[in-house]
Amino acid sequence: MTEFWLISAPGEKTCQQTWDKMMAATSRTNNLSTNNKFNIPDLKVGTLDVLVGLSDELAKLDTFVESVVKKVAQYMADVLEDSRDKVQENLLANGVDLVTYITRFQWDMAKYPIKQSLKNISEIISKQATQIDNDLKARASAYNNPEGKSTESGEEECVSNFFFSSVIVLNKKEDFVLDSEYLITMLVVVPKTSYADWQKTYETLAEMVVPRSTKLLFEDNDSGLFSVTLFRKAVDDFKHKARENKFTVRDFQYNEEEMKADKEEMTRLSTDKKKQFGPLVRWLKVNFSEAFIAWIHIKALRVFVESVLRYGLPVNFQAMLLQPNKKNMKKLREVLYDLYKHLDSSAAIIDASMDIPGLNLSQQEYYPYVYYKIDCNLLDFKV
């Protein structure tokens, strides 16, 4: 995936001339970027006061909708368990990959009618994104916690009980000392990096630990579950010393009927989750597309509003989408500065990447031309 610069410059005699001049400066001779015209329809301008207020609102809406897009994308990756190829092939906009959608952008007249005011269009997008955000929270909660238990009300304990029940069902009854007045078998979670320490120290964590009684029952990527047998009177001392050594003792009572019920419950929950998987992935695909499309329309709205505020009326500007060559980003910025410095000479002297005391420019990038970045790297891992 990649990064785009969405810019605009005022039309000269014609908008085509503006386009030709930018193309000549950035791609025909020096391969600084791959460029496409970005088509924005004739939107309703409204009053200057409305445009100024809308400029701030759209900046906030841009940030919010981008966060929704990223949340849906990341949850898709979580559900598909970070299978990168599968994730990427499901992150589409209008049935095409994101780069294709952006570079061939066409305003969706059905979703966002241009006869409506700019304010109304922004409100349509805001409601849509909020709905997707709320639905995502509800669906993620239902999928991750099939019983509807919140993380604050013992879900962790419930999961751990299921975990230990299933582990012990897999092991023999002989692994546990049962019905003894004096002895008890404890379960201890040991980080994988501490296996050697556990083997060296477990017999000395309390005075009455049965020698050579530990056994690895189960392990995952991070830790292992060990059993250990000791005298009941030493349990408190053993727990205390184990905690000091970063070993976690789990309270567990061996009860075959309870374990059988727990195992049946786990099977049921697993089946429920599998039933939800297909519909959930379909929902994520559809709503990622909707959120991404909404986000790019916000970018279009921002370019339109900012271009009118900067370049004035009548509306006469060319919106252009640049895909910078990574090696030449600095050079591209310099070329664009030379091309457009006459638009606002005071603005272009200061580069947003420079750290100048007293000027808080770290949160915004301001150039003599209208500029917004579109970053399509939406996932925590790089695809």
Side-chain angles (χ1 to χ4, degrees):
M1 299 310 292
T2 189
E3 174 183 312
F4 293 91
W5 294 358
L6 181 54
I7 71 169
S8 84
E12 297 185 23
K13 285 183 181 175
T14 65
C15 286
Q16 184 63 37
Q17 281 184 307
T18 304
W19 168 257
D20 290 341
K21 196 177 275 192
M22 191 277 296
M23 284 291 286
T26 63
S27 66
R28 287 193 183 130
T29 55
N30 45 18
N31 192 30
L32 297 179
S33 59
T34 304
N35 308 324
N36 293 88
K37 286 183 180 179
F38 191 83
N39 297 310
I40 300 174
D42 295 328
L43 300 168
K44 281 193 169 183
V45 175
T47 65
L48 183 63
D49 284 351
V50 167
L51 288 180
V52 170
L54 197 56
S55 179
D56 290 336
E57 287 173 26
L58 285 172
K60 292 173 190 167
L61 186 57
D62 189 346
T63 302
F64 170 62
V65 179
E66 181 181 4
S67 76
V68 174
V69 169
K70 287 184 172 176
K71 276 193 262 186
V72 177
Q74 196 56 53
Y75 193 61
M76 175 82 81
D78 294 344
V79 169
L80 295 173
E81 298 179 342
D82 287 4
S83 176
R84 298 179 187 202
D85 294 340
K86 285 184 185 172
V87 176
Q88 211 55 64
E89 71 191 31
N90 283 293
L91 295 181
L92 304 175
N94 241 3
V96 298
D97 66 85
L98 306 187
V99 170
T100 301
Y101 177 78
I102 295 170
T103 54
R104 297 179 188 171
F105 175 76
Q106 292 293 326
W107 186 275
D108 190 324
M109 302 286 183
K111 281 194 180 86
Y112 314 113
I114 59 173
K115 289 182 180 176
Q116 300 258 14
S117 68
L118 297 174
K119 176 97 173 151
N120 283 357
I121 294 171
S122 73
E123 284 173 357
I124 291 168
I125 293 174
S126 178
K127 284 177 186 171
Q128 184 186 14
T130 302
Q131 185 68 50
I132 292 172
D133 193 39
N134 291 337
D135 286 353
L136 177 65
K137 287 172 190 166
R139 285 171 183 270
S141 176
Y143 186 71
N144 296 339
N145 315 314
E147 292 294 84
K149 297 179 176 69
S150 77
T151 52
E152 294 171 5
S153 60
E155 177 205 335
E156 206 172 295
E157 185 182 339
C158 174
V159 169
S160 71
N161 283 345
F162 281 153
F163 169 75
F164 291 118
S165 299
S166 62
V167 165
I168 292 157
V169 166
L170 294 173
N171 286 275
K172 298 173 186 171
K173 194 173 179 179
E174 292 75 38
D175 290 333
F176 299 85
V177 173
L178 303 173
D179 306 322
S180 169
E181 188 179 342
Y182 302 106
L183 295 172
I184 184 170
T185 298
M186 308 286 292
L187 296 178
V188 184
V189 178
V190 179
K192 274 196 169 177
T193 51
S194 303
Y195 279 11
D197 291 341
W198 167 255
Q199 294 291 353
K200 274 187 229 167
T201 61
Y202 81 90
E203 291 180 5
T204 60
L205 293 178
E207 285 188 359
M208 298 183 176
V209 177
V210 176
R212 296 189 297 281
S213 64
T214 193
K215 181 176 178 181
L216 177 63
L217 301 181
F218 180 83
E219 63 181 348
D220 59 19
N221 293 334
D222 305 311
S223 55
L225 185 68
F226 286 84
S227 62
V228 60
T229 302
L230 58 151
F231 279 78
R232 290 181 181 274
K233 62 170 70 176
V235 166
D236 289 341
D237 191 29
F238 180 83
K239 282 183 177 180
H240 177 69
K241 290 281 175 55
R243 196 160 46 244
E244 284 182 354
N245 284 272
K246 304 285 193 297
F247 306 138
T248 308
V249 178
R250 294 293 192 191
D251 291 325
F252 187 84
Q253 295 293 320
Y254 190 99
N255 182 312
E256 285 189 89
E257 285 184 14
E258 280 184 18
M259 289 192 303
K260 187 181 176 187
D262 282 350
K263 193 180 180 193
E264 286 171 359
E265 180 68 358
M266 283 189 76
T267 303
R268 186 182 70 76
L269 292 178
S270 175
T271 303
D272 287 350
K273 200 164 184 178
K274 282 175 186 169
K275 282 180 187 171
Q276 287 184 56
F277 178 80
L280 177 62
V281 171
R282 282 193 292 277
W283 184 90
L284 288 167
K285 283 174 70 171
V286 168
N287 285 275
F288 172 81
S289 176
E290 292 294 308
F292 190 84
I293 289 168
W295 184 40
I296 303 305
H297 278 75
I298 291 169
K299 297 290 187 189
L301 283 176
R302 293 189 75 186
V303 169
F304 182 85
V305 169
E306 195 66 22
S307 297
V308 173
L309 287 173
R310 290 225 209 163
Y311 310 142
L313 291 170
V315 175
N316 181 29
F317 68 89
Q318 179 64 55
M320 300 167 279
L321 187 75
L322 283 62
Q323 187 175 343
N325 183 327
K326 280 187 181 176
K327 294 175 184 173
N328 297 323
M329 281 186 165
K330 190 176 177 190
K331 177 68 176 167
L332 177 60
R333 201 57 94 180
E334 289 168 1
V335 166
L336 291 176
Y337 168 58
D338 287 339
L339 201 55
Y340 301 122
K341 61 188 174 187
H342 64 281
L343 298 175
D344 187 350
S345 55
S346 61
I349 295 166
I350 303 165
D351 189 320
S353 63
M354 293 164 61
D355 187 14
I356 301 172
L359 284 172
N360 180 22
L361 292 165
S362 59
Q363 298 303 311
Q364 58 188 14
E365 295 173 281
Y366 186 75
Y367 301 99
Y369 48 92
V370 172
Y371 161 80
Y372 296 107
K373 183 168 81 170
I374 302 174
D375 189 350
C376 289
N377 295 305
L378 301 173
L379 298 166
D380 287 344
F381 61 73
K382 288 188 177 157
V383 180

